[in-house]
Amino acid sequence: MDDRHMQIGEVAERTELSLRTIRHYEDTGLVIPSARSQGGFRLYTEQDVARLMVIRRMKPLGFTLDQMRDLLSATDRLDSGDPLDAGEREALVDRVREYEQAATEQVEKLRVQLRRAEDFAATLRGRLPESAPPAAEVPAAKAPAAEVPPKENPPTEYVR
């Protein structure tokens, strides 16, 4: 594996996560920079980027930070190379399997929502006249500037 270190900006670009999000994941213990530069900058490895990508993929599926932490803990243990007895290995694999099943179920729910959204967009498209250009081509209409009436002087009886 590549031992090259990257600063947070490069990691943010590669993962399409904001600097703030990466720092938040560090604060919550989901990912810890592998090193710090002499100037104190966070330095990340390819393994750290892979970990952030797991987190990024779990987020839109509705997994909580605790669930992300639990899955990463299980996969870290499985990938550690440390000897595992059969019972521990089986328990870890079962945990990963449960997350895979939950992810698969959520993906199906999202597919249903997407189909409904596509049906809705098609219904709206069907209501448009054939000569109407697609929404991206319709120039934004400018509303006429509202006339602002001149300020009136307040009635003298209210002025002190």
Side-chain angles (χ1 to χ4, degrees):
M1 188 169 280
D2 188 358
D3 286 340
R4 183 177 78 85
H5 286 94
M6 298 164 271
Q7 289 189 358
I8 193 170
E10 182 180 349
V11 172
E13 217 173 278
R14 290 195 44 203
T15 60
E16 298 178 348
L17 294 169
S18 70
L19 301 177
R20 182 177 176 185
T21 298
I22 294 171
R23 289 184 189 114
H24 173 69
Y25 290 151
E26 177 186 354
D27 291 343
T28 60
L30 286 172
V31 65
I32 306 297
S34 291
R36 293 266 181 175
S37 70
Q38 289 182 343
F41 293 104
R42 295 166 175 85
L43 297 175
Y44 298 87
T45 62
E46 286 296 327
Q47 187 175 1
D48 298 326
V49 170
R51 189 176 185 89
L52 283 165
M53 292 303 294
V54 169
I55 295 165
R56 192 185 110 197
R57 290 176 181 126
M58 290 181 80
K59 183 78 172 138
L61 295 177
F63 289 102
T64 66
L65 295 178
D66 286 338
Q67 290 171 317
M68 293 175 193
R69 190 175 294 107
D70 182 54
L71 174 63
L72 289 167
S73 171
T75 57
D76 287 349
R77 185 78 177 109
L78 286 167
D79 295 342
S80 71
D82 295 339
L84 301 171
D85 65 47
E88 183 180 7
R89 174 171 296 286
E90 185 178 337
L92 291 169
V93 169
D94 285 346
R95 275 173 47 202
V96 172
R97 186 175 293 112
E98 288 172 12
Y99 283 106
E100 184 276 331
Q101 290 169 349
T104 299
E105 288 171 12
Q106 187 59 27
V107 165
E108 186 52 40
K109 289 177 185 176
L110 290 170
R111 282 191 178 115
V112 168
Q113 288 181 344
L114 179 59
R115 282 192 299 271
R116 289 177 182 157
E118 289 171 337
D119 289 347
F120 176 66
T123 299
L124 293 176
R125 233 181 345 268
R127 295 184 58 86
L128 296 173
E130 300 243 352
S131 62
E137 298 175 19
V138 176
K142 286 189 176 181
E147 285 189 31
V148 178
K151 286 189 178 181
E152 295 180 11
N153 290 329
T156 54
E157 66 256 23
Y158 295 119
V159 177
R160 293 190 176 181

